[in-house]
Coordinates of all heavy atoms in Angstrom, one line a residue:
Chain A
E451 N 16.7 -7.7 -10.1 CA 15.3 -7.4 -10.1 C 14.9 -6.5 -8.9 O 14.1 -5.6 -9.0 CB 14.5 -8.6 -10.2 CG 14.5 -9.3 -11.5 CD 13.7 -8.5 -12.6 OE1 12.5 -8.3 -12.4 OE2 14.3 -8.2 -13.6
Q453 N 16.9 -4.6 -7.2 CA 17.5 -3.3 -7.3 C 16.7 -2.4 -8.3 O 16.5 -1.2 -8.1 CB 18.9 -3.3 -7.7 CG 19.8 -3.9 -6.6 CD 21.2 -4.3 -7.0 OE1 21.4 -4.6 -8.2 NE2 22.2 -4.2 -6.1
A454 N 16.2 -3.1 -9.4 CA 15.5 -2.4 -10.4 C 14.1 -1.9 -9.8 O 13.7 -0.8 -10.1 CB 15.2 -3.3 -11.6
A455 N 13.5 -2.7 -9.0 CA 12.2 -2.3 -8.4 C 12.4 -1.1 -7.5 O 11.5 -0.3 -7.3 CB 11.6 -3.5 -7.7
R457 N 14.6 1.2 -7.9 CA 15.2 2.4 -8.7 C 14.1 3.5 -8.8 O 13.0 3.2 -9.2 CB 15.7 1.9 -10.0 CG 16.6 2.9 -10.7 CD 17.3 2.3 -11.9 NE 18.2 1.2 -11.4 CZ 18.2 0.0 -11.8 NH1 17.4 -0.4 -12.8 NH2 19.0 -0.9 -11.3
P458 N 14.4 4.7 -8.4 CA 13.4 5.7 -8.5 C 13.1 6.2 -9.9 O 12.1 6.9 -10.1 CB 14.0 6.9 -7.6 CG 15.5 6.7 -7.7 CD 15.7 5.2 -7.8
V459 N 13.9 5.9 -10.9 CA 13.7 6.4 -12.2 C 13.8 5.2 -13.2 O 14.4 4.1 -12.9 CB 14.7 7.5 -12.6 CG1 14.5 8.7 -11.8 CG2 16.1 7.0 -12.5
Q460 N 13.4 5.5 -14.4 CA 13.6 4.5 -15.6 C 13.0 3.2 -15.3 O 13.6 2.2 -15.7 CB 15.1 4.5 -15.9 CG 15.6 5.8 -16.4 CD 17.0 5.7 -17.0 OE1 17.6 4.7 -17.1 NE2 17.6 6.9 -17.3
R461 N 11.9 3.1 -14.7 CA 11.2 1.8 -14.5 C 10.7 1.4 -15.9 O 10.3 2.3 -16.7 CB 10.0 2.0 -13.6 CG 10.5 2.4 -12.2 CD 9.8 1.6 -11.2 NE 10.4 1.8 -9.9 CZ 9.8 2.4 -8.9 NH1 8.5 2.7 -9.0 NH2 10.4 2.6 -7.7
G462 N 10.8 0.2 -16.2 CA 10.3 -0.3 -17.5 C 11.5 -0.4 -18.5 O 11.4 -1.1 -19.5
V463 N 12.6 0.2 -18.1 CA 13.8 0.1 -19.0 C 14.5 -1.3 -18.6 O 14.6 -1.5 -17.4 CB 14.8 1.2 -18.8 CG1 16.1 1.0 -19.5 CG2 14.1 2.5 -19.2
P464 N 14.8 -2.1 -19.6 CA 15.4 -3.4 -19.2 C 16.6 -3.3 -18.3 O 17.4 -2.3 -18.5 CB 15.7 -4.0 -20.6 CG 14.9 -3.3 -21.6 CD 14.7 -1.9 -21.0
T465 N 16.8 -4.2 -17.4 CA 17.9 -4.1 -16.5 C 19.2 -4.2 -17.3 O 19.4 -5.0 -18.2 CB 17.9 -5.3 -15.5 OG1 16.6 -5.3 -14.9 CG2 18.9 -5.2 -14.5
A466 N 20.1 -3.3 -16.9 CA 21.5 -3.2 -17.4 C 21.5 -3.1 -18.9 O 22.4 -3.6 -19.6 CB 22.3 -4.5 -17.0
W467 N 20.5 -2.4 -19.5 CA 20.5 -2.2 -20.9 C 21.7 -1.3 -21.4 O 22.0 -0.4 -20.7 CB 19.2 -1.6 -21.3 CG 19.0 -1.3 -22.8 CD1 18.5 -2.2 -23.7 CD2 19.4 -0.1 -23.4 NE1 18.6 -1.6 -24.9 CE2 19.1 -0.3 -24.8 CE3 19.9 1.1 -23.0 CZ2 19.3 0.7 -25.8 CZ3 20.2 2.1 -24.0 CH2 19.9 1.9 -25.3
R468 N 22.3 -1.7 -22.4 CA 23.3 -0.9 -23.0 C 23.1 -0.8 -24.5 O 22.8 -1.8 -25.2 CB 24.7 -1.5 -22.8 CG 25.1 -1.8 -21.4 CD 25.6 -0.5 -20.7 NE 26.0 -0.6 -19.3 CZ 25.2 -0.5 -18.3 NH1 23.9 -0.3 -18.5 NH2 25.7 -0.7 -17.1
N469 N 23.3 0.4 -25.1 CA 23.3 0.4 -26.6 C 24.6 0.1 -27.1 O 24.8 -0.4 -28.2 CB 22.8 1.8 -27.1 CG 23.5 3.0 -26.6 OD1 24.1 2.9 -25.5 ND2 23.6 4.1 -27.3
V470 N 25.7 0.4 -26.3 CA 27.0 -0.1 -26.7 C 27.5 -0.9 -25.5 O 27.7 -0.5 -24.4 CB 27.9 1.2 -26.9 CG1 29.3 0.7 -27.2 CG2 27.4 2.1 -27.9
V471 N 27.7 -2.2 -25.8 CA 28.1 -3.1 -24.8 C 29.6 -3.2 -24.7 O 30.3 -3.5 -25.7 CB 27.5 -4.5 -25.0 CG1 27.9 -5.5 -23.9 CG2 26.0 -4.4 -25.1
S472 N 30.1 -3.0 -23.5 CA 31.6 -3.1 -23.3 C 32.0 -4.3 -22.4 O 33.0 -4.9 -22.7 CB 32.2 -1.8 -22.7 OG 31.6 -1.5 -21.4
A473 N 31.2 -4.6 -21.4 CA 31.6 -5.6 -20.5 C 30.3 -6.2 -19.8 O 29.3 -5.4 -19.7 CB 32.6 -5.1 -19.5
Q475 N 27.9 -7.3 -16.7 CA 27.7 -6.8 -15.3 C 28.3 -7.9 -14.4 O 28.3 -9.1 -14.8 CB 26.2 -6.7 -15.0 CG 25.5 -5.8 -16.0 CD 25.8 -4.4 -15.8 OE1 25.7 -3.8 -14.7 NE2 26.3 -3.8 -16.9
T476 N 28.8 -7.5 -13.3 CA 29.3 -8.5 -12.3 C 28.6 -8.3 -11.0 O 28.4 -7.2 -10.5 CB 30.8 -8.4 -12.1 OG1 31.2 -7.0 -12.1 CG2 31.6 -9.1 -13.2
S477 N 28.1 -9.5 -10.5 CA 27.5 -9.5 -9.1 C 28.5 -10.3 -8.3 O 28.9 -11.4 -8.7 CB 26.2 -10.1 -9.2 OG 25.3 -9.5 -10.1
W490 N 27.1 -11.3 -16.1 CA 25.8 -11.5 -16.8 C 25.6 -10.2 -17.7 O 26.1 -9.2 -17.4 CB 24.7 -11.7 -15.9 CG 24.5 -10.7 -14.8 CD1 25.1 -10.7 -13.6 CD2 23.6 -9.6 -14.8 NE1 24.7 -9.6 -12.8 CE2 23.8 -8.9 -13.6 CE3 22.7 -9.0 -15.7 CZ2 23.1 -7.7 -13.2 CZ3 22.1 -7.8 -15.4 CH2 22.3 -7.2 -14.2
R494 N 17.7 -6.2 -23.9 CA 16.5 -6.5 -24.6 C 16.0 -8.0 -24.4 O 14.9 -8.2 -24.3 CB 16.8 -6.2 -26.1 CG 15.6 -6.1 -27.0 CD 16.0 -5.6 -28.3 NE 16.9 -6.5 -28.9 CZ 18.1 -6.2 -29.5 NH1 18.4 -4.9 -29.5 NH2 18.9 -7.1 -30.0
D495 N 17.0 -8.9 -24.5 CA 16.6 -10.3 -24.4 C 16.6 -10.9 -23.0 O 16.6 -12.1 -22.9 CB 17.5 -11.1 -25.4 CG 17.4 -10.6 -26.8 OD1 16.3 -10.3 -27.2 OD2 18.4 -10.6 -27.5
Y497 N 18.0 -11.7 -19.1 CA 19.3 -12.0 -18.4 C 20.0 -13.2 -19.1 O 19.4 -14.3 -19.2 CB 19.1 -12.4 -17.0 CG 18.5 -11.2 -16.2 CD1 17.1 -11.1 -16.1 CD2 19.3 -10.3 -15.5 CE1 16.5 -10.0 -15.4 CE2 18.7 -9.3 -14.8 CZ 17.4 -9.1 -14.7 OH 16.8 -8.1 -14.0
S510 N 12.0 -12.7 -11.4 CA 11.4 -11.8 -10.5 C 12.3 -11.7 -9.3 O 13.3 -12.3 -9.2 CB 10.0 -12.3 -10.1 OG 10.0 -13.3 -9.2
Q511 N 11.8 -10.9 -8.3 CA 12.6 -10.8 -7.1 C 12.7 -12.0 -6.3 O 13.5 -12.2 -5.4 CB 12.1 -9.6 -6.2 CG 12.1 -8.3 -6.9 CD 11.5 -7.2 -6.1 OE1 11.8 -7.0 -5.0 NE2 10.5 -6.5 -6.7
T512 N 11.7 -12.9 -6.4 CA 11.6 -14.0 -5.6 C 11.7 -15.4 -6.3 O 11.9 -16.4 -5.6 CB 10.2 -14.0 -4.8 OG1 9.2 -13.9 -5.8 CG2 10.2 -12.9 -3.8
R550 N 29.8 -3.4 -3.0 CA 30.5 -2.9 -4.2 C 31.6 -2.0 -3.9 O 32.7 -2.1 -4.5 CB 29.4 -2.1 -5.0 CG 29.6 -2.2 -6.5 CD 28.4 -1.6 -7.1 NE 28.6 -1.3 -8.5 CZ 28.0 -0.3 -9.1 NH1 27.2 0.5 -8.5 NH2 28.3 0.0 -10.4
F551 N 31.4 -1.2 -2.9 CA 32.5 -0.3 -2.5 C 32.7 -0.4 -1.0 O 31.8 -0.6 -0.2 CB 32.1 1.2 -2.7 CG 31.9 1.5 -4.2 CD1 30.6 1.5 -4.7 CD2 33.0 1.7 -5.0 CE1 30.4 1.8 -6.0 CE2 32.7 2.0 -6.4 CZ 31.4 2.0 -6.9
V552 N 34.0 -0.3 -0.5 CA 34.2 -0.3 0.9 C 34.9 1.0 1.2 O 35.9 1.4 0.6 CB 35.1 -1.5 1.3 CG1 35.4 -1.5 2.8 CG2 34.5 -2.8 0.9
D553 N 34.4 1.7 2.2 CA 35.0 2.9 2.6 C 36.3 2.5 3.2 O 36.4 1.7 4.1 CB 34.1 3.6 3.7 CG 34.6 4.9 4.1 OD1 35.8 5.2 4.0 OD2 33.8 5.8 4.4
P554 N 37.4 3.2 2.7 CA 38.8 2.8 3.2 C 38.8 2.8 4.8 O 39.6 2.1 5.4 CB 39.7 3.8 2.6 CG 39.0 4.3 1.4 CD 37.5 4.2 1.7
Chain B
H24 N 30.8 0.1 -33.3 CA 30.7 0.3 -31.8 C 31.9 -0.4 -31.2 O 32.5 0.2 -30.2 CB 29.4 -0.2 -31.3 CG 28.3 0.7 -31.5 ND1 27.0 0.3 -31.3 CD2 28.2 2.0 -31.8 CE1 26.1 1.3 -31.5 NE2 26.9 2.3 -31.9
V28 N 34.6 0.9 -28.4 CA 34.9 0.3 -27.2 C 36.4 -0.1 -27.0 O 37.0 0.0 -25.9 CB 34.0 -1.0 -27.0 CG1 34.4 -1.9 -25.8 CG2 32.5 -0.6 -26.9
R48 N 35.2 3.0 -19.7 CA 34.0 2.3 -19.6 C 33.9 1.6 -18.3 O 32.8 1.4 -17.7 CB 33.7 1.5 -20.8 CG 33.2 2.2 -22.0 CD 32.9 1.4 -23.2 NE 32.3 2.2 -24.3 CZ 33.0 3.0 -25.1 NH1 34.3 3.1 -24.9 NH2 32.3 3.7 -26.0
E52 N 30.9 2.0 -15.6 CA 30.2 0.8 -15.1 C 30.1 0.8 -13.6 O 29.1 0.5 -13.0 CB 30.7 -0.5 -15.6 CG 30.5 -0.7 -17.1 CD 29.1 -1.1 -17.5 OE1 28.3 -1.4 -16.6 OE2 28.7 -1.0 -18.7
L53 N 31.2 1.2 -13.0 CA 31.3 1.3 -11.5 C 30.5 2.5 -11.0 O 29.9 2.4 -9.9 CB 32.7 1.4 -11.0 CG 33.4 0.1 -10.8 CD1 34.9 0.4 -10.5 CD2 32.8 -0.6 -9.6
L55 N 27.8 3.8 -12.2 CA 26.3 3.7 -12.4 C 25.7 2.8 -11.3 O 26.4 1.9 -10.8 CB 26.0 3.0 -13.8 CG 26.5 3.8 -15.0 CD1 26.2 3.0 -16.2 CD2 25.9 5.2 -15.1
E57 N 23.9 -0.3 -9.9 CA 23.9 -1.6 -10.3 C 22.6 -2.0 -11.1 O 21.5 -1.8 -10.6 CB 24.1 -2.6 -9.2 CG 25.5 -2.7 -8.7 CD 25.6 -3.6 -7.5 OE1 25.2 -3.3 -6.4 OE2 26.1 -4.8 -7.7
G58 N 22.8 -2.5 -12.3 CA 21.7 -3.0 -13.1 C 21.0 -1.8 -13.8 O 20.0 -2.1 -14.5
S59 N 21.4 -0.6 -13.6 CA 20.7 0.5 -14.3 C 21.2 0.5 -15.8 O 22.2 -0.1 -16.2 CB 20.9 1.8 -13.6 OG 22.3 2.2 -13.7
A60 N 20.4 1.3 -16.6 CA 20.8 1.3 -18.0 C 21.8 2.4 -18.3 O 22.0 3.4 -17.5 CB 19.5 1.6 -18.8
F61 N 22.5 2.3 -19.4 CA 23.4 3.4 -19.8 C 23.1 3.6 -21.3 O 23.3 2.7 -22.1 CB 24.8 3.1 -19.6 CG 25.8 4.2 -19.8 CD1 25.7 5.4 -19.1 CD2 26.8 4.1 -20.8 CE1 26.6 6.4 -19.4 CE2 27.6 5.1 -21.1 CZ 27.6 6.3 -20.4
L62 N 22.7 4.9 -21.6 CA 22.5 5.2 -23.0 C 23.7 6.0 -23.5 O 23.8 7.2 -23.1 CB 21.2 6.0 -23.2 CG 20.8 6.6 -24.6 CD1 20.9 5.5 -25.6 CD2 19.5 7.3 -24.6
E63 N 24.6 5.4 -24.2 CA 25.8 6.0 -24.6 C 25.4 7.0 -25.8 O 24.6 6.6 -26.7 CB 26.8 5.0 -25.0 CG 28.2 5.7 -25.2 CD 29.3 4.7 -25.4 OE1 29.3 3.6 -24.8 OE2 30.2 5.0 -26.2
P66 N 28.4 7.5 -29.9 CA 29.5 6.6 -29.8 C 30.3 6.6 -31.1 O 31.4 6.1 -31.1 CB 28.8 5.2 -29.6 CG 27.4 5.4 -30.0 CD 27.1 6.9 -29.8
V86 N 22.2 6.4 -14.5 CA 21.6 6.6 -13.2 C 22.7 6.4 -12.2 O 23.3 5.4 -12.1 CB 20.5 5.7 -13.0 CG1 19.8 6.0 -11.6 CG2 19.5 5.7 -14.1
G89 N 20.5 6.9 -8.0 CA 19.1 7.2 -8.2 C 18.9 8.4 -9.0 O 17.7 8.8 -9.3
E91 N 19.4 10.7 -12.5 CA 19.8 10.6 -13.9 C 20.9 11.7 -14.2 O 20.7 12.9 -13.9 CB 18.6 10.8 -14.8 CG 17.7 9.6 -14.8 CD 16.3 9.8 -15.3 OE1 15.7 10.8 -14.9 OE2 15.8 8.9 -16.0
V236 N 41.6 7.2 -2.2 CA 42.8 6.4 -2.0 C 43.1 5.7 -3.4 O 44.3 5.4 -3.7 CB 42.8 5.4 -0.9 CG1 42.6 6.1 0.4 CG2 41.6 4.4 -1.1
H239 N 38.6 3.2 -7.4 CA 37.3 2.7 -6.8 C 36.8 3.7 -5.8 O 35.6 4.0 -5.7 CB 37.5 1.3 -6.2 CG 37.4 0.2 -7.2 ND1 38.5 -0.2 -7.9 CD2 36.4 -0.6 -7.5 CE1 38.2 -1.2 -8.7 NE2 36.9 -1.5 -8.5
D240 N 37.7 4.1 -5.0 CA 37.3 5.0 -3.9 C 36.8 6.4 -4.5 O 35.9 6.9 -3.9 CB 38.5 5.3 -3.0 CG 38.1 5.9 -1.6 OD1 37.0 5.5 -1.2 OD2 38.9 6.7 -1.1
I242 N 35.3 6.8 -7.2 CA 33.9 6.5 -7.7 C 32.9 6.4 -6.6 O 31.8 6.9 -6.6 CB 33.9 5.3 -8.6 CG1 34.8 5.6 -9.9 CG2 32.5 4.9 -9.0 CD1 35.2 4.4 -10.7
R243 N 33.4 5.7 -5.5 CA 32.5 5.6 -4.3 C 32.2 7.0 -3.8 O 31.0 7.3 -3.5 CB 33.3 4.8 -3.2 CG 32.5 4.7 -1.9 CD 33.3 4.1 -0.8 NE 34.4 5.0 -0.4 CZ 34.2 5.9 0.5 NH1 33.1 6.1 1.1 NH2 35.2 6.7 0.8
R246 N 29.8 8.8 -6.1 CA 28.4 8.4 -5.9 C 27.8 9.0 -4.7 O 26.6 9.3 -4.7 CB 28.4 6.8 -5.8 CG 28.6 6.1 -7.2 CD 28.6 4.6 -7.0 NE 27.5 4.1 -6.3 CZ 26.3 4.0 -6.9 NH1 26.1 4.2 -8.2 NH2 25.3 3.5 -6.2
K256 N 13.1 15.8 -9.4 CA 12.5 16.0 -10.7 C 11.2 16.9 -10.6 O 10.4 16.6 -9.6 CB 12.1 14.6 -11.3 CG 13.3 13.8 -11.8 CD 12.8 12.5 -12.3 CE 13.2 12.3 -13.8 NZ 12.9 11.0 -14.3
D260 N 7.7 11.1 -11.3 CA 8.0 10.1 -12.4 C 6.8 9.4 -12.8 O 6.3 8.6 -12.1 CB 9.1 9.2 -11.9 CG 9.7 8.4 -13.0 OD1 9.0 8.1 -14.0 OD2 10.9 8.0 -13.0
A263 N 6.5 5.7 -12.7 CA 6.6 5.0 -11.4 C 5.2 5.0 -10.8 O 5.0 5.0 -9.6 CB 7.5 5.7 -10.5
R274 N 7.8 -6.6 -13.1 CA 8.2 -5.3 -13.6 C 7.5 -5.0 -14.9 O 7.6 -3.9 -15.4 CB 9.7 -5.2 -13.7 CG 10.4 -5.2 -12.3 CD 11.9 -5.1 -12.4 NE 12.2 -3.9 -13.2 CZ 13.0 -3.9 -14.3 NH1 13.4 -5.0 -14.7 NH2 13.3 -2.8 -14.9
R277 N 3.9 -2.6 -14.5 CA 3.9 -1.4 -13.6 C 3.1 -0.3 -14.2 O 3.6 0.8 -14.6 CB 5.4 -1.0 -13.4 CG 5.6 -0.2 -12.2 CD 7.0 0.2 -12.1 NE 7.8 -1.0 -11.9 CZ 8.1 -1.6 -10.8 NH1 7.6 -1.1 -9.7 NH2 8.8 -2.7 -10.7
W279 N 1.6 -0.1 -17.1 CA 1.4 0.0 -18.5 C 1.7 -1.4 -19.1 O 2.2 -2.2 -18.5 CB 2.4 1.0 -19.1 CG 3.8 0.7 -19.0 CD1 4.5 -0.2 -19.8 CD2 4.8 1.2 -18.1 NE1 5.8 -0.3 -19.4 CE2 6.0 0.6 -18.3 CE3 4.7 2.1 -17.1 CZ2 7.1 0.8 -17.6 CZ3 5.8 2.4 -16.3 CH2 7.0 1.8 -16.6
H341 N 6.0 3.9 -21.8 CA 6.3 3.7 -20.3 C 5.4 4.6 -19.5 O 5.8 5.2 -18.5 CB 7.8 4.1 -20.0 CG 8.7 3.0 -20.6 ND1 10.1 3.2 -20.4 CD2 8.5 1.9 -21.2 CE1 10.7 2.1 -21.0 NE2 9.7 1.3 -21.4
D512 N 19.7 0.0 -32.7 CA 19.0 -1.1 -33.2 C 17.5 -0.8 -33.1 O 17.0 -0.4 -32.0 CB 19.3 -2.3 -32.3 CG 18.7 -3.6 -32.8 OD1 17.5 -3.6 -33.2 OD2 19.4 -4.7 -32.7
R514 N 15.0 -2.4 -32.6 CA 14.3 -3.1 -31.5 C 14.5 -2.5 -30.2 O 13.8 -2.7 -29.2 CB 14.8 -4.6 -31.4 CG 14.4 -5.4 -32.7 CD 15.2 -6.7 -32.7 NE 16.6 -6.5 -32.9 CZ 17.4 -7.5 -33.1 NH1 17.0 -8.8 -33.2 NH2 18.7 -7.3 -33.3
D515 N 15.5 -1.6 -30.1 CA 15.8 -0.9 -28.8 C 15.1 0.5 -28.8 O 15.3 1.3 -27.8 CB 17.3 -0.6 -28.6 CG 18.0 -1.9 -28.2 OD1 17.4 -2.7 -27.5 OD2 19.2 -2.1 -28.5
T518 N 13.1 1.4 -25.7 CA 13.9 1.6 -24.5 C 14.6 2.9 -24.6 O 14.7 3.7 -23.6 CB 15.0 0.4 -24.4 OG1 14.2 -0.8 -24.1 CG2 15.9 0.7 -23.2
V519 N 15.2 3.2 -25.8 CA 15.9 4.5 -25.9 C 14.9 5.7 -25.6 O 15.3 6.6 -24.9 CB 16.5 4.6 -27.3 CG1 17.0 6.0 -27.6 CG2 17.6 3.6 -27.5
I522 N 14.1 6.0 -21.9 CA 15.2 6.6 -21.2 C 15.1 8.1 -21.4 O 15.1 9.0 -20.5 CB 16.5 6.1 -21.5 CG1 16.7 4.6 -21.1 CG2 17.7 6.9 -20.9 CD1 17.9 3.9 -21.6
S525 N 12.2 9.8 -19.7 CA 12.5 9.9 -18.3 C 13.5 11.1 -18.0 O 13.3 11.8 -17.1 CB 13.0 8.6 -17.8 OG 13.3 8.7 -16.4

Side-chain angles (χ1 to χ4, degrees):
Chain A
E451 285 290 303
Q453 289 167 333
R457 194 165 298 128
V459 296
Q460 296 188 5
R461 299 225 170 118
V463 172
T465 304
W467 179 89
R468 301 283 181 271
N469 54 333
V470 179
V471 179
S472 60
Q475 304 290 304
T476 39
S477 304
W490 54 276
R494 200 172 57 228
D495 298 325
Y497 298 89
S510 76
Q511 297 175 53
T512 53
R550 212 169 163 212
F551 299 99
V552 180
D553 188 329
Chain B
H24 281 165
V28 171
R48 281 183 174 76
E52 290 287 345
L53 269 173
L55 301 176
E57 282 180 280
S59 65
F61 187 61
L62 174 54
E63 194 172 324
V86 183
E91 287 162 318
V236 300
H239 277 81
D240 195 34
I242 293 164
R243 179 188 68 83
R246 288 178 50 80
K256 287 178 121 176
D260 193 328
R274 293 180 53 236
R277 201 180 297 274
W279 66 78
H341 287 178
D512 186 320
R514 294 169 293 188
D515 283 331
T518 295
V519 170
I522 293 172
S525 180

